[in-house]
């Protein structure tokens, strides 16, 4: 065990985590020059395009250190977004140390702090790594001062590198061997292993990624998953060298995988404990929790013929993504579809893009909403995420909505604009601290529903891209909630209904009506578009009718001839309005969705 090091790389978005992982793979010879490509551990196209890690990977790096000994460095990669913070925490539990990557030009950012706190909670050995020292604007001395002042770490242990140019990578490997402690554990004790990830293999079923804390796991043994009590026979154990490499057994301190004929990824839960069936451990490893979706949206196929394909596509995605939740849904306007739950807005975007790219589907989404907690007058309590299931307001005692604690780090120049943005989104300021000259940390309690739409984009635009943002779920708080319905020609369009804070209802309804007015084509009769709360109309736009010039054929003569023709046209329009149906184009639904993006 003295020759094993388990470590993770944590960083703010875009600070060079994936590039550093690439260089470590090259330096240790895990990938040859002709097999190598950038972002080696990012396997999805979306990850490469956006430069973020969505699905974490694991790889064992063989390394001969300067002391002449051979080591195995297990790199447990972590996703790089606040939506996946639970997965990050479980990956960190599996390690003894972490490389904290900081951009030499941008310095310490919000997620750098959030990830550091998470690593310190797990009592990890932390090595600060200052990346991008080759940039002309790099300021290593300033970053070292921030490491000491903001992070409370020893700046002398920081390793300056350029992952892009390959400068200083050997020093990082030596630091991992020297500064991260080897794993501990008893190979003869009852088996205790942590599941920190799992993936789907079309031929073998679920591949479970494990860190063994105690005991030894061999091929052919019967194991039990603690949270579900299900038992399986281990068909294969092994370690990761980019590809899976089978081994006869995994002992305490090692990181590897098992294949045990597990049918779906959702049968294995991240953070769960694996133990032997005949000799179980005393208690599971702490920290396990069920991952619950926080953002909900309905997906409908543009063509109703694609419904079966959408159902099949969601089933296939669920094989690889256990946190995706969905159930059947129906809308009178859009037909059959699925109500889906996601970990956050990024997760929703990723699923939507994968459905459109990998399965070639054209989809319409309803406006994303959060889960509200309602206490009814008869004493019962319900959780709702779909406006269609919102009960009559007469029966509601009180409503509560989820709040988050947001941490924003920004240059003080933009402080006023960012505070205004947070207050506009019903935020409550909790703290304001000056980190060093010119940099401020703002802490706000914000309703999750207000952050969902375009908060991140607005924050970037008011701060010229300098503000960084990270958040944690806080609690449910009392709120005033209203259901806004949109009526087109007097008919309620259920797919456009939304649950909003009462103070915001008027503005949201007005914006939706304005958008629909632009998108719905003109008819031969007047089309009113209305926003309503219950029976009360709170906003209205009218699409004026197309008009045929019926008096064009009149030449001269008395005015009564023209009046007669116009009266006849008026009668016809009245009859038409009684039977008139308005077709709403797909673009109208998308326009309402985008209503918050360009305020």
């Amino acid at each position: 065990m003295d020759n094993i090091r388990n470590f993770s790389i944590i960083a703010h978005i875009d600070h060079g985590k994936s590039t550093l992982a690439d260089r470590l793979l090259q330096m240790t010879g895990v990938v040859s020059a002709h097999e190598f490509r950038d972002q080696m551990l990012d396997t999805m196209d979306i990850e490469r395009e956006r430069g973020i890690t969505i699905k974490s990977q694991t790889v064992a790096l063989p390394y001969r250190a300067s002391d002449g000994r051979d080591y195995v460095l297990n790199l447990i990669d972590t996703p790089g977004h606040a939506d996946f913070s639970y997965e990050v925490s479980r990956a960190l539990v599996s390690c003894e140390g972490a490389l904290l990557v900081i951009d030499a030009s941008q310095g310490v950012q919000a997620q750098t702090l959030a990830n550091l706190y998470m690593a310190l909670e797990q009592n990890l050995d932390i090595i600060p790594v200052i990346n991008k020292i080759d940039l002309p604007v790099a300021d290593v001395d300033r970053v070292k001062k921030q490491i000491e002042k903001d992070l409370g770490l020893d700046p002398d242990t920081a390793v300056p590198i350029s992952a892009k140019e390959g400068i200083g990578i050997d020093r990082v490997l030596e630091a991992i061997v020297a500064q991260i402690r080897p794993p501990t554990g008893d190979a003869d004790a009852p088996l205790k292993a942590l599941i920190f990830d799992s993936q789907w293999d079309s031929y073998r079923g679920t591949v479970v990624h494990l860190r063994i804390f105690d005991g030894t796991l061999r091929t052919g043994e019967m194991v039990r998953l603690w949270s579900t009590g299900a038992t399986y026979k281990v068909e294969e154990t092994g370690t990761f060298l980019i590809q899976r490499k089978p081994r006869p057994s995994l002992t305490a301190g090692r990181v590897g995988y098992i294949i045990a004929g597990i049918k779906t990824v959702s049968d294995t839960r991240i953070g769960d404990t694996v133990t032997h069936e005949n000799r179980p451990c005393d208690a599971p490893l702490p920290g396990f929790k069920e991952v619950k979706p926080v953002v909900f949206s309905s997906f409908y196929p543009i063509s109703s013929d694609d419904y079966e394909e959408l159902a099949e596509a969601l089933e296939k995605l669920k094989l690889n993504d256990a946190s995706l939740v969905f159930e059947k849904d129906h809308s009178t306007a859009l037909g059959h579809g699925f109500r889906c739950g996601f970990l956050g807005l990024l997760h929703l975007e990723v699923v939507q893009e994968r459905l459109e790219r990998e399965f070639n589907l054209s989809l319409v989404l309803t406006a994303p909403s959060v889960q509200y907690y309602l206490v009814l007058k008869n004493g019962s309590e319900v959780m709702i995420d779909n406006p269609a299931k919102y009960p009559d307001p007469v029966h509601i005692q009180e409503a509560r909505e989820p709040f988050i604690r947001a941490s924003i780090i920004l240059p003080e120049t933009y402080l006023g604009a960012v505070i205004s943005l947070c207050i506009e989104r019903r935020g409550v300021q909790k703290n304001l601290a000056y980190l060093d000259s010119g940099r401020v940390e703002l802490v706000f309690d914000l309703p999750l529903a207000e952050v969902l739409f375009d908060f991140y984009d607005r924050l970037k635009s008011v701060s010229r891209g300098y503000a960084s943002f990270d958040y944690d779920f806080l609690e449910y708080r009392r709120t005033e909630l209203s259901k806004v319905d949109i009526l087109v020609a007097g008919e309620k369009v259920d797919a456009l209904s939304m649950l909003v804070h009462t103070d915001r209802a008027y503005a949201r309804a007005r914006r939706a009506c304005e958008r629909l007015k632009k998108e719905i084509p003109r008819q031969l009769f007047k089309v009113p578009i209305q926003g309503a709360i219950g029976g009360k109309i709170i906003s209205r736009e009218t699409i004026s009718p197309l008009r045929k010039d019926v008096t064009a054929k009149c030449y001269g003569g008395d005015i009564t001839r023209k009046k007669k023709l116009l009266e006849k046209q008026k009668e016809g329009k009245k009859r038409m309005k009684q039977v008139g149906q308005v077709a709403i184009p797909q673009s109208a639904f998308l326009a309402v969705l985008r209503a918050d993006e360009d305020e």
Side-chain angles (χ1 to χ4, degrees), residues 372-373 375 396-403 426 447 475-481 501:
Y372 293 98
Y373 182 82
V375 180
I396 298 172
Q397 179 91 32
E398 71 170 56
R400 295 181 202 150
E401 66 176 331
F403 265 70
R426 299 191 285 124
E475 61 191 359
Y476 276 85
R477 291 187 187 172
R478 191 167 182 163
T479 186
E480 294 295 323
L481 200 59
H501 189 268

Side-chain angles (χ1 to χ4, degrees), residues 286-342:
F288 170 69
K289 65 177 184 187
E290 293 275 346
V291 183
K292 290 190 170 63
V294 292
V295 177
F296 297 84
S297 177
S298 292
F299 283 21
Y300 298 98
I302 283 181
S303 163
S304 54
D305 300 344
D306 291 342
Y307 175 74
E308 292 299 327
E309 284 179 42
L310 175 61
E312 207 174 293
L314 283 168
E315 286 290 350
K316 284 182 181 170
L317 274 192
K318 177 125 179 90
L319 288 175
N320 259 324
D321 186 353
S323 47
L324 172 65
V325 180
F326 60 90
E327 61 182 23
K328 288 181 180 175
D329 194 17
H330 178 73
S331 152
T332 46
L334 295 169
H336 292 285
F338 290 91
R339 185 80 181 162
C340 305
F342 307 94

Side-chain angles (χ1 to χ4, degrees), residues 118-225:
M118 216 185 278
L120 289 174
E121 274 172 31
Q122 311 301 344
N123 194 25
L124 301 189
D125 298 326
I126 293 161
I127 304 170
V129 175
I130 304 171
N131 191 18
K132 306 190 186 181
I133 58 167
D134 58 311
L135 293 179
V137 289
D139 188 345
V140 176
D141 294 334
R142 180 175 64 91
V143 175
K144 280 189 174 179
K145 282 178 191 159
Q146 289 178 6
I147 288 170
E148 186 172 23
K149 193 162 181 289
D150 302 353
L151 307 181
L153 301 173
D154 182 359
D156 298 331
T157 60
V159 185
I161 65 160
S162 166
K164 188 179 172 189
E165 301 295 329
I167 302 164
I169 306 300
D170 48 346
R171 289 181 59 194
V172 173
L173 288 163
E174 286 296 326
I176 292 168
V177 170
Q179 294 178 38
I180 294 178
R181 62 188 183 273
T184 55
D186 183 357
D188 300 320
L191 176 68
K192 190 184 277 189
L194 175 82
I195 299 176
F196 61 84
D197 200 5
S198 54
Q199 67 188 79
W200 176 252
D201 183 303
S202 321
Y203 301 104
R204 307 293 304 273
T206 303
V207 180
V208 182
H209 300 211
L210 299 166
R211 157 71 201 270
I212 313 283
F213 282 93
D214 282 320
T216 304
L217 181 58
R218 296 179 183 85
T219 307
E221 291 179 333
M222 294 296 290
V223 292
R224 188 173 89 214
L225 304 185

Side-chain angles (χ1 to χ4, degrees), residues 4 6 72 74 210-212 239 247 250-256:
I4 298 173
N6 298 320
V72 175
N74 289 311
L210 299 166
R211 157 71 201 270
I212 313 283
T239 53
R247 296 171 60 99
L250 291 171
T251 53
R254 284 204 172 268
V255 173

Side-chain angles (χ1 to χ4, degrees), residues 37 99 103 113 119 142 182 185 187 193 211 220 232 290 341 364 371 398 401 422 482 489 529-531 542 581 585 599:
R37 54 181 169 66
L99 300 179
D103 188 320
L113 276 171
R142 180 175 64 91
R211 157 71 201 270
Y232 300 97
E290 293 275 346
V364 172
Q371 211 166 30
E398 71 170 56
E401 66 176 331
C422 294
S482 296
I529 300 168
Q530 296 160 310
T542 307
Q581 286 286 315
E599 287 176 27

Side-chain angles (χ1 to χ4, degrees), residues 33-87:
H34 74 276
E35 288 175 316
F36 178 76
R37 54 181 169 66
D38 282 342
Q39 290 167 268
M40 194 78 200
L41 295 180
D42 292 347
T43 48
M44 284 188 270
D45 291 342
I46 302 169
E47 291 181 312
R48 300 172 158 282
E49 285 168 21
R50 294 189 172 208
I52 49 173
T53 303
I54 295 162
K55 185 80 176 131
S56 59
Q57 303 288 328
T58 306
V59 62
L61 311 169
Y63 176 62
R64 176 162 287 181
S66 53
D67 60 6
R69 289 166 63 186
D70 288 324
Y71 291 87
V72 175
L73 313 179
N74 289 311
L75 164 58
I76 299 169
D77 194 19
T78 56
H81 197 276
D83 283 5
F84 307 109
S85 56
Y86 175 63
E87 281 93 324

